[in-house]
């Protein structure tokens, strides 16, 4: 132990003495570790965000859209789902706990000269339970109000803040698609989706009101929200639902699209994959350059320190002691680089998050991975210089 302490002390002295070598080596390693830290944090953040989104979406739920996935890409979906599909699905699948029609309309909402572009959703009285999304204040409309197609609405928190400022919105009237509507509730805050869409910028109305008074279409709906009883095999029931709708519509599968928690997870992983690959390539290049610089500076250091090495060997230092000192010096340098690099990674990730709202999550595991990688780079880079120093002839080294 005393011997190792002595070697560590000498290594630390050498690191302090060769300041320029240490500086360039630390910088090279720090940039590589910074990239690596962001990768690890991005992977952890992506999965954390994915599971948060799935939890918000509902792990026991699906959303069925009318039209194909390709039509969604061009922001145009055919109307293929009907209000009759709701009744037929409910009868065909006893596993369904809640099924709710959704009628979606992009529109503008007006209140006393203030205007905001928003999404209007026609829903039924099961909205809160269907989405586990509850009201912050006010109330939900009733079954009787739904049947009577009353002009009632519930607004998102963003709409409340932008249109009403500090004013209480309950009981006030807003204009949606030239239809006056009385506000009876405010939704709790949900934030944004991984793609940056503001979930709080929405207005809910009875779907009957939207269908009859805004769309003037009593048959077609935009989507269907289904929540199943606990313990249901989701993948199996989704396949059965697909077959059922294909037969019912006498159409191909692209007549509709079913969004499930699995689809969301796959999407989020794909969304982060490109950036992770780019950062992975960058960190590999940076760490390789850092290791190359470290190895060459240590080879140069061996030449400069021949006399010191020769004297130590003449005084009884063994080959493994010389090797251990050089490797320890390299590990100290790369460890310093790891600490600085991790700090740079945290700062860079915060900037990245502010620019693109990319999910990052730093943890002690991420830091330990960066530290272990820096140890490996230090050992591998210093191995050849350490062997060269250990094999020097003491007499020739002193003369040199």
């Amino acid at each position: 132990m005393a011997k190792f302490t002595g070697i560590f002390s000498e290594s630390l002295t050498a690191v302090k003495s060769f300041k320029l070598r240490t500086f360039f080596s630390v910088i090279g390693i720090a940039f590589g570790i910074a990239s690596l830290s962001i990768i690890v944090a991005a992977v952890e953040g992506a999965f954390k965000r994915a599971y948060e989104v799935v939890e918000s979406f509902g792990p026991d739920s699906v959303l069925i859209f009318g039209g194909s996935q390709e039509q969604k890409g061009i922001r145009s979906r055919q109307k293929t789902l009907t209000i009759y599909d709701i009744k037929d699905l409910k009868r065909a699948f006893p596993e369904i706990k809640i099924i709710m029609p959704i009628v979606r309309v992009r529109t503008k909402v007006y209140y006393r000269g203030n205007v905001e572009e928003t999404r209007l959703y026609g829903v039924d009285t099961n909205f809160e339970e269907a989405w586990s999304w509850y009201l912050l204040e006010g109330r939900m409309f009733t079954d009787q109000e739904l049947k009577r197609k009353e002009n009632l609405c519930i607004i998102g928190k963003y709409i409340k803040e932008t249109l009403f400022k500090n004013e209480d919105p309950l009981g006030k009237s807003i204009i949606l698609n030239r239809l006056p509507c009385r506000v009876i509730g405010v939704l709790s805050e949900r934030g944004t989706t991984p793609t940056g869409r503001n979930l709080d910028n929405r207005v809910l109305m009875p779907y009957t009101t939207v269908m009859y008074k805004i769309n003037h279409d009593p048959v077609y709906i935009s989507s269907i929200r289904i929540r199943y009883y606990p313990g249901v095999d989701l993948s199996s029931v989704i396949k059965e639902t697909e077959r059922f709708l294909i037969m019912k519509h006498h159409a191909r599968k692209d007549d509709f699209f079913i969004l499930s928690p699995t689809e969301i997870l796959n999407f989020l992983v794909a969304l982060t994959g490109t950036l992770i690959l780019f950062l992975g390539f960058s960190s590999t290049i940076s760490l390789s350059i850092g290791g190359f610089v470290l190895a060459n500076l240590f080879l140069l250091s061996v030449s400069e320190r021949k006399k010191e090495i020769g004297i130590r060997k003449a005084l009884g230092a063994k080959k493994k002691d010389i090797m251990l000192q050089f490797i320890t010096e390299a590990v100290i340098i790369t460890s310093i680089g790891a600490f600085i690099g991790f700090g740079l990674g945290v700062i860079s990730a915060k900037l990245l998050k502010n620019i693109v709202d990319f999910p990052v999550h730093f943890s002690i595991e991420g830091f330990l991975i960066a530290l272990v990688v820096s140890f490996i780079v230090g050992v591998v880079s210093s191995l050849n210089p350490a062997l060269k120093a250990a094999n020097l002839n003491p007499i020739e080294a002193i003369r040199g």
Side-chain angles (χ1 to χ4, degrees):
M1 186 66 186
K3 186 178 182 181
F4 178 76
T5 304
I7 290 172
F8 183 80
S9 178
E10 288 173 8
S11 301
L12 203 57
T13 303
V15 168
K16 291 177 182 177
S17 300
F18 296 92
K19 291 183 176 64
L20 195 60
R21 180 199 70 178
T22 300
F23 173 77
F24 282 115
S25 300
V26 165
I27 291 299
I29 298 298
F31 282 119
I33 294 297
S35 298
L36 180 66
S37 299
I38 295 174
I39 291 171
V40 175
V43 171
E44 289 188 21
F47 280 102
K48 189 170 181 288
R49 172 69 70 85
Y51 287 111
E52 284 174 357
V53 171
V54 167
E55 192 61 34
S56 173
F57 179 82
D60 56 355
S61 308
V62 297
L63 196 57
I64 307 174
F65 294 97
S68 67
Q69 180 73 336
E70 289 74 19
Q71 288 169 342
K72 185 191 175 198
I74 58 173
R75 293 184 178 264
S76 171
R77 279 193 182 275
Q78 291 178 346
K79 290 183 177 180
T80 58
L81 299 176
T82 71
I83 200 69
Y84 307 112
D85 290 330
I86 301 284
K87 297 173 184 176
D88 293 337
L89 283 166
K90 183 65 176 174
R91 277 198 301 264
F93 294 91
E95 302 94 336
I96 292 176
K97 182 181 179 183
I98 296 170
I99 185 164
M100 181 181 75
I102 300 173
V103 186
R104 187 174 59 253
V105 179
R106 287 186 69 91
T107 186
K108 290 183 179 180
V109 54
Y110 298 86
Y111 176 72
R112 290 186 179 177
N114 298 321
V115 60
E116 187 68 41
E117 190 166 328
T118 189
R119 286 178 174 84
L120 170 63
Y121 292 88
V123 298
D124 68 15
T125 56
N126 292 314
F127 176 85
E128 289 181 283
E129 195 176 355
W131 286 97
S132 296
W133 191 350
Y134 302 98
L135 298 188
L136 184 68
E137 52 186 296
R139 66 174 180 88
M140 198 72 193
F141 38 81
T142 65
D143 288 326
Q144 287 301 314
E145 290 167 338
L146 186 77
K147 288 176 184 176
R148 292 198 299 260
K149 310 175 189 62
E150 296 204 8
N151 297 2
L152 303 174
C153 56
I154 295 159
I155 60 175
K157 200 163 184 292
Y158 175 81
I159 297 294
K160 176 189 174 183
E161 291 169 352
T162 53
L163 289 191
F164 291 92
K165 312 300 181 188
N166 298 321
E167 192 178 346
D168 182 6
L170 298 182
K172 305 294 192 306
S173 287
I174 57 176
I175 304 295
L176 284 154
N177 228 358
R178 292 183 235 176
L179 185 73
C181 180
R182 182 164 56 88
V183 178
I184 62 169
V186 179
L187 281 169
S188 56
E189 191 171 4
R190 266 288 168 96
T192 59
T193 66
T195 53
R197 185 161 61 86
N198 186 358
L199 291 171
D200 299 311
N201 182 11
R202 65 177 56 206
V203 177
L204 308 182
M205 288 181 73
Y207 76 89
T208 50
T209 308
V210 178
M211 290 177 76
Y212 282 86
K213 296 184 179 180
I214 293 179
N215 283 357
H216 306 292
D217 183 351
V219 176
Y220 286 100
I221 57 178
S222 306
S223 51
I224 299 171
R225 170 70 172 182
I226 300 177
R227 193 156 197 171
Y228 298 95
Y229 286 105
V232 169
D233 183 351
L234 201 60
S235 60
S236 175
V237 78
I238 287 172
K239 288 176 185 175
E240 289 295 325
T241 303
E242 284 178 351
R243 283 195 284 267
F244 178 83
L245 287 174
I246 287 169
M247 286 190 297
K248 186 175 185 298
H249 291 183
H250 305 290
R252 297 172 301 164
K253 186 179 176 180
D254 62 4
D255 180 57
F256 59 91
F257 170 69
I258 300 180
L259 180 65
S260 69
T262 304
E263 296 279 349
I264 295 172
L265 280 173
N266 293 339
F267 169 73
L268 290 171
V269 170
L271 189 67
T272 56
T274 305
L275 183 57
I276 289 169
L277 282 173
F278 170 72
L279 291 172
F281 179 75
S282 301
S283 66
T284 302
I285 296 296
S286 299
L287 283 170
S288 300
I289 292 171
F292 179 76
V293 169
L294 186 65
N296 280 278
L297 288 173
F298 264 74
L299 281 171
L300 183 63
S301 179
V302 171
S303 301
E304 292 173 346
R305 296 164 66 183
K306 274 186 179 181
K307 195 167 185 178
E308 173 204 328
I309 296 165
I311 291 170
R312 286 194 64 203
K313 294 192 77 174
L315 291 173
K318 296 177 182 178
K319 281 186 177 182
K320 65 178 183 181
D321 296 330
I322 302 297
M323 281 192 69
L324 188 58
Q325 181 179 339
F326 273 84
I327 291 172
T328 304
E329 286 178 26
V331 169
I332 289 171
I333 289 170
T334 54
S335 297
I336 294 169
F339 278 94
I340 294 172
F342 191 77
L344 286 173
V346 172
I347 294 167
S348 302
K350 284 183 178 178
L351 292 174
L352 183 67
K353 193 173 182 181
N354 289 335
I355 295 169
V356 295
D357 193 27
F358 191 81
V360 288
H361 176 70
F362 285 93
S363 64
I364 188 66
E365 289 85 1
F367 174 70
L368 290 175
I369 289 171
L371 203 58
V372 169
V373 170
S374 72
F375 286 165
I376 294 169
V377 171
V379 171
V380 172
S381 302
S382 63
L383 206 54
N384 187 43
L387 279 168
K388 187 176 179 181
N391 290 324
L392 283 175
N393 184 296
I395 297 172
E396 291 180 4
I398 293 170
R399 282 178 180 172

